[in-house]
Amino acid sequence: MTRAILKWGVLAVLVGMALYLIVALYAQREFVFAMLFLVLTASAVAVFVSKRLYAHRYIYPAVAGMGLFVIFPLMYTVGIGFTNYSASNLLSFERVQDNLLSRTYQSESARYNYDLYQTDAGYVVFLKSDAGDLISAPFELKDGQVPPIEVSPTATAPAGEPLAFRDIIKQRNALGELRLQTPDGRELSMASLRAFATIKPLYEKSGHDTLTNTRTGVTYFPNQDTGFYESADGDKLVPGWTVNAGFDNYKRVITDPSISGPFMQIFVWTLLFSVGTVVFTLVLGLLLANLLQWDQIRGKGFYRTMLILPYAVPAFISILVFKGLFNQNFGEINLVLENLFGIRPDWFSDPAMARSMILIVNTWLGYPYMMLLCMGLLQSIPRDLYEASAMDGAGPINNLMNITFPLILKPLAPLLIASFAFNFNNFVLIALLTGGAPDIIGASTPAGTTDLLVSYTYRIAFQDSGQNFGLAAAIATVIFLVVGALSLINLKLSKIKV
Amino acid sequence: MAMVEPRSTKYRVLASHLGMLCFIALILFPLLMVISISFRSGNFATGSLLPEVPSLEHWSLALGIPYTDDAGNVVQPPFPVLLWLWNSIKIAVISSLLILALSTTAAYAFARMRFAGKGFVLKSMLIFQMFPPVLSLVALYALFNEIGKHISWLGLNTHGAVIVASLGGMALHIWTIKGYFDSIDRSLEEAAIVDGATTWQAFRYILLPLSVPILMVVFILAFIMTIMEYPMASILLVDTDKLTLAVGAQQYLYEQNYLWGDFAAAAVLSGLPITAVFLYCQRWIVGGLTAGGVKG
């Protein structure tokens, strides 16, 4: 009985919290996120209440975690790819309108010169004009003054001496935030060190969603295709809002030469890099695994431990170690090369050298994994095959090509594809080693000769001043398709039964 | 040995030993170099590979102790390395425990129960696991930004967010544990259920104690994976004292502020424990990596 109460109590509390989150998100017009949590909560309740879905209780947390942090972000990213979401188009239409309507300017027509007095009750502002002087109630001067101070007509100046000009300069930050309210409802703010002036809204709603600039009289119409308020002669108001851009981002990748050029170059390099890494690590790993399997070799434990060391050191440390060792001026590798051969290659500024460096480092990082895989697979090959071939006088090369390779290729294939997919998206290596440098000349987005597609999208989204999330998401979608195809092939090849 | 051996075997064995030793020397060069650099005074290397006058300045800075040089100037540690290491370990332990608990229960259901959509869920997990989280960072950032407005300990720049985000990567571990559960005979649990045990009790008191080895492997794998996680933490964490080691370490090697010697000491200090754990557990890890995930 207590168990049941406890169970329902906990469930009720959790559902209550989730509902609070959903309602709060909905109130903030974040419909996508509200929907996401609604689906998660509803399925949780269904799974934990229904007796029929007992087995699903066990898998719910894992599936929900995957849905929340893998599948939802993936779909969201694909969605962003069809919009113009970027640093200049971050907000929703309503928020942009509110932002523009809250802008103000100071009208030159009603200016008041002023004096500031310090009295026992606080500061007093005395505004002077031909139409009649105004005086404020005493107030404290501090940063972040929120409510406006009321001013009322007066005939006489306050007693005492006004503050000297240099004291006003000292208080100019606090005075700048001061707002004064006149009896006829106008708001005043500091226009210069010597004057206060009326604040007026810069834009006014002049019809259904159109805005008029009150100073120039120009009318701006919302353009739902570009996501900006535009005047008749094409003048845009920033910020804009997020709109559906259809396939525009994809078209830009294909047609805009300052994007398609770097994109193709990076795509080709990404393929070369992934294939190169897989080939080099496989050749090295297979060779070492063969040597380690050889009966005549003593001290296998020592060799094995030494050879997998690169795999045991955390990658983010060894990549940075290489970054330092390859450094042009104080790097130890150039020191050795200069002493031995008298050369100092430009590892970070010459594209070809930077690419070779990346391949060298990634082979260093990746061969132990291949070696371990090959060692496992080699053990499963029957030994008598090699004896038979030795009887026939076959050498090591013959053995490798005719026995070892054909036998391990099949179980190895899915692992090689997985390795290809991993390196296709090897973000950490590029981000920590070169950051994509040296840059491609003539690209309109940040793009480097050593950038992989993943690091390229990352830089478009997070490093560019424009933060073009839409374009980055479109390229990410292309990568999703490549990765999805690879993993489907992998699933077929490895013949997984469930 | 029954193997037929050609005459040249002796020379080939010798050549193999020599080749492997040279290769190992080449492979270990960067690692040995870093250790040497960590004892060399100053941050700008010139001259020799081995330090002529060994100095402990970088090590003292890495351990967070201000260092006084010969001229009497006090050098403050540039970054809180030990705090970063602690952050990394804290995040990795908590998320590995969560991953272990949730993936074990899920693997149990996948291995022992029949339910609608089982094969579909298992296969799609395997496919979605291959999509790199780097590409959906914009979405993840927006997601944690929204959550953080209402639940402050899960927002941006919190360790909670990094821990929770690591829960997306459980598919590999579920497959590994499921592969192990499949290899255990289910008659024991069936006998217990016949005697009146509930499904949960059969799982908790019979299957779990039998599976301790694979649970260790999964814990270590998850631990190493979270400690090495870079992209997500680099977007979610901002403040210097909240960073993990993987995100913080690169700050030593900025062009404008190049602290090569300090980095070397910090790298050896923080890399050594992780490397030692890996080498100590290598047999289990290799087994888990090569067999579990793929075997099914």
Side-chain angles (χ1 to χ4, degrees):
Chain A
M1 187 59 202
T2 44
R3 273 182 72 103
I5 292 172
L6 200 69
K7 179 182 154 193
W8 290 106
V10 169
L11 199 65
V13 169
L14 286 178
V15 168
M17 276 164 58
L19 283 179
Y20 164 75
L21 185 66
I22 293 165
V23 171
L25 284 169
Y26 185 82
Q28 288 187 343
R29 315 182 67 89
E30 297 288 351
F31 300 124
V32 180
F33 290 102
M35 199 64 204
L36 170 73
F37 286 106
L38 189 64
V39 169
L40 276 180
T41 316
S43 49
V45 171
V47 163
F48 284 95
V49 169
S50 159
K51 278 257 167 357
R52 230 163 46 81
L53 297 175
Y54 180 77
H56 292 85
R57 284 180 207 182
Y58 286 85
I59 64 164
Y60 177 79
V63 174
M66 192 114 192
L68 189 54
F69 300 117
V70 180
I71 298 172
F72 168 75
L74 203 140
M75 282 159 46
Y76 193 87
T77 306
V78 173
I80 292 175
F82 292 100
T83 68
N84 65 346
Y85 193 56
S86 64
S88 62
N89 296 62
L90 270 182
L91 306 172
S92 64
F93 178 61
E94 290 79 9
R95 301 259 303 271
V96 169
Q97 210 176 42
D98 291 347
N99 178 305
L100 290 172
L101 284 174
S102 71
R103 293 195 184 178
T104 55
Y105 74 103
Q106 282 175 324
S107 162
E108 291 299 314
S109 58
R111 266 174 99 90
Y112 297 88
N113 289 333
Y114 73 99
D115 281 322
L116 189 63
Y117 290 84
Q118 193 162 21
T119 66
D120 295 336
Y123 289 94
V124 168
V125 174
F126 177 59
L127 302 167
K128 296 173 284 190
S129 86
D130 300 340
D133 300 340
L134 297 164
I135 190 163
S136 76
F139 57 91
E140 298 281 320
L141 261 187
K142 58 178 190 283
D143 288 346
Q145 201 99 28
V146 188
I149 310 283
E150 293 203 4
V151 291
S152 46
T154 181
T156 52
E161 279 295 303
L163 287 182
F165 191 56
R166 63 166 183 281
D167 295 320
I168 289 182
I169 292 177
K170 275 184 201 157
Q171 300 284 4
R172 65 170 181 272
N173 285 340
L175 282 172
E177 292 180 29
L178 190 63
R179 296 285 178 273
L180 303 175
Q181 178 100 42
T182 63
D184 50 349
R186 286 174 298 141
E187 236 185 33
L188 309 177
S189 74
M190 197 171 74
S192 71
L193 281 171
R194 298 201 179 270
F196 270 75
T198 317
I199 319 172
K200 286 189 173 169
L202 185 53
Y203 297 102
E204 270 174 355
K205 254 191 176 177
S206 54
H208 182 66
D209 281 345
T210 59
L211 298 180
T212 303
N213 188 321
T214 51
R215 290 176 91 172
T216 59
V218 178
T219 306
Y220 293 87
F221 300 94
N223 184 338
Q224 295 293 357
D225 292 328
T226 58
F228 285 102
Y229 264 106
E230 290 174 358
S231 68
D233 30 322
D235 193 23
K236 279 181 190 172
L237 297 181
V238 179
W241 59 95
T242 312
V243 292
N244 193 337
F247 282 92
D248 282 0
N249 290 316
Y250 295 91
K251 281 183 199 146
R252 279 180 74 191
V253 173
I254 297 167
T255 54
D256 185 345
S258 66
I259 296 176
S260 65
F263 177 82
M264 278 320 290
Q265 199 181 336
I266 289 170
F267 185 70
V268 170
W269 160 241
T270 307
L271 284 180
L272 284 178
F273 165 81
S274 333
V275 172
T277 303
V278 171
V279 170
F280 290 147
T281 52
L282 177 65
V283 168
L284 207 53
L286 189 58
L287 183 75
L288 291 167
N290 263 314
L291 285 176
L292 284 183
Q293 293 299 117
W294 199 11
D295 301 316
Q296 313 281 334
I297 299 280
R298 300 269 162 265
K300 281 193 187 125
F302 165 76
Y303 282 131
R304 188 185 139 105
T305 309
M306 287 294 123
L307 286 172
I308 64 166
L309 253 185
Y311 195 48
V313 178
F316 65 88
I317 286 181
S318 35
I319 293 170
L320 288 171
V321 165
F322 274 108
K323 183 179 177 180
L325 289 177
F326 274 108
N327 186 296
Q328 215 127 317
N329 303 313
F330 349 96
E332 278 66 20
I333 289 180
N334 270 4
L335 188 73
V336 172
L337 287 179
E338 185 161 44
N339 286 338
L340 292 181
F341 309 107
I343 48 171
R344 284 186 91 86
D346 302 338
W347 294 110
F348 286 93
S349 47
D350 181 66
M353 294 316 286
R355 287 175 171 180
S356 349
M357 171 180 73
I358 284 178
L359 279 176
I360 292 171
V361 173
N362 207 28
T363 308
W364 187 92
L365 288 168
Y367 84 86
Y369 177 65
M370 285 293 177
M371 185 183 86
L372 292 170
L373 289 183
C374 291
M375 280 167 70
L377 294 173
L378 286 180
Q379 262 160 5
S380 61
I381 300 178
R383 311 306 300 272
D384 41 353
L385 286 176
Y386 292 107
E387 293 206 14
S389 83
M391 295 284 270
D392 292 340
I397 306 286
N398 254 325
N399 277 350
L400 180 72
M401 296 314 291
N402 294 324
I403 302 175
T404 315
F405 216 62
L407 277 175
I408 64 167
L409 194 61
K410 213 171 168 203
L412 202 57
L415 297 168
L416 291 183
I417 294 176
S419 167
F420 178 89
F422 173 79
N423 283 300
F424 195 87
N425 297 308
N426 200 335
F427 172 75
V428 177
L429 176 74
I430 303 298
L432 291 183
L433 192 58
T434 64
D439 280 343
I440 293 176
I441 298 156
S444 63
T445 56
T449 41
T450 58
D451 259 328
L452 301 180
L453 281 178
V454 258
S455 60
Y456 178 54
T457 42
Y458 178 88
R459 287 174 71 183
I460 291 177
F462 293 106
Q463 279 187 2
D464 192 9
S465 53
Q467 300 213 312
N468 201 334
F469 300 122
L471 182 64
I475 297 176
T477 307
V478 175
I479 306 178
F480 284 145
L481 293 178
V482 174
V483 173
L486 281 174
S487 49
L488 275 179
I489 296 173
N490 218 351
L491 207 62
K492 283 265 178 300
L493 276 180
S494 49
K495 293 204 183 65
I496 285 174
K497 296 271 185 308
V498 272
Chain B
M1 171 152 347
M3 195 101 162
V4 184
E5 286 169 13
R7 236 167 301 154
S8 59
T9 306
K10 211 170 122 191
Y11 299 105
R12 276 205 251 148
V13 170
L14 205 67
S16 311
H17 274 295
L18 241 132
M20 277 210 280
L21 285 175
C22 287
F23 184 75
I24 288 173
L26 196 68
I27 287 300
L28 294 190
F29 171 76
L31 302 177
L32 297 175
M33 229 23 256
V34 170
I35 297 175
S36 151
I37 290 162
S38 72
F39 288 106
R40 192 167 60 190
S41 61
N43 275 316
F44 299 97
T46 39
S48 60
L49 293 184
L50 282 175
E52 283 129 10
V53 191
S55 138
L56 285 178
E57 60 170 283
H58 303 308
W59 278 92
S60 116
L61 291 182
L63 291 169
I65 307 160
Y67 174 81
T68 316
D69 63 14
D70 297 336
N73 301 322
V74 177
V75 185
Q76 290 298 326
F79 302 111
V81 185
L82 290 179
L83 182 65
W84 288 346
L85 187 62
W86 167 240
N87 286 344
S88 281
I89 291 176
K90 189 175 75 183
I91 290 175
V93 167
I94 298 177
S95 42
S96 312
L97 286 175
L98 278 175
I99 287 176
L100 188 65
L102 297 181
S103 49
T104 311
T105 45
Y108 175 69
F110 283 124
R112 291 289 191 266
M113 298 178 182
R114 293 161 161 276
F115 53 88
K118 177 167 135 180
F120 172 75
V121 174
L122 265 176
K123 275 191 180 168
S124 23
M125 277 186 148
L126 211 56
I127 290 178
F128 279 114
Q129 193 72 93
M130 293 201 28
F131 292 98
V134 193
L135 293 172
S136 12
L137 279 183
V138 177
L140 283 166
Y141 186 88
L143 178 64
F144 282 107
N145 189 18
E146 284 307 321
I147 299 179
K149 285 180 192 162
H150 308 287
I151 310 171
S152 58
W153 54 272
L154 269 183
L156 297 172
N157 203 13
T158 60
H159 290 160
V162 182
I163 291 170
V164 171
S166 71
L167 296 183
M170 281 193 289
L172 175 71
H173 305 304
I174 292 176
W175 273 91
T176 311
I177 303 175
K178 175 186 171 289
Y180 191 86
F181 283 168
D182 282 338
S183 70
I184 296 179
D185 191 9
R186 65 170 76 192
S187 55
L188 270 176
E189 293 152 63
E190 274 161 9
I193 288 172
V194 169
D195 286 348
T198 61
T199 328
W200 174 256
Q201 283 169 329
F203 166 62
R204 169 71 188 79
Y205 295 105
I206 297 185
L207 192 60
L208 266 196
L210 288 173
S211 323
V212 172
I214 196 72
L215 300 185
M216 289 292 295
V217 170
V218 167
F219 180 79
I220 295 164
L221 276 179
F223 181 83
I224 288 177
M225 280 180 182
T226 11
I227 261 202
M228 297 209 191
E229 204 285 325
Y230 172 79
M232 207 108 80
S234 80
I235 286 295
L236 292 180
L237 301 176
V238 183
D239 295 345
T240 306
D241 57 347
K242 291 223 171 111
L243 297 186
T244 60
L245 201 59
V247 181
Q250 59 168 333
Q251 299 200 353
Y252 278 102
L253 297 182
Y254 281 146
E255 290 287 336
Q256 307 83 350
N257 187 19
Y258 194 76
L259 305 170
W260 188 210
D262 293 341
F263 167 75
V268 177
L269 175 73
S270 51
L272 217 53
I274 303 172
T275 311
V277 168
F278 191 99
L279 284 181
Y280 180 70
C281 312
Q282 56 159 307
R283 270 164 215 286
W284 306 313
I285 293 174
V286 170
L289 270 184
T290 51
V294 206
K295 198 174 61 187

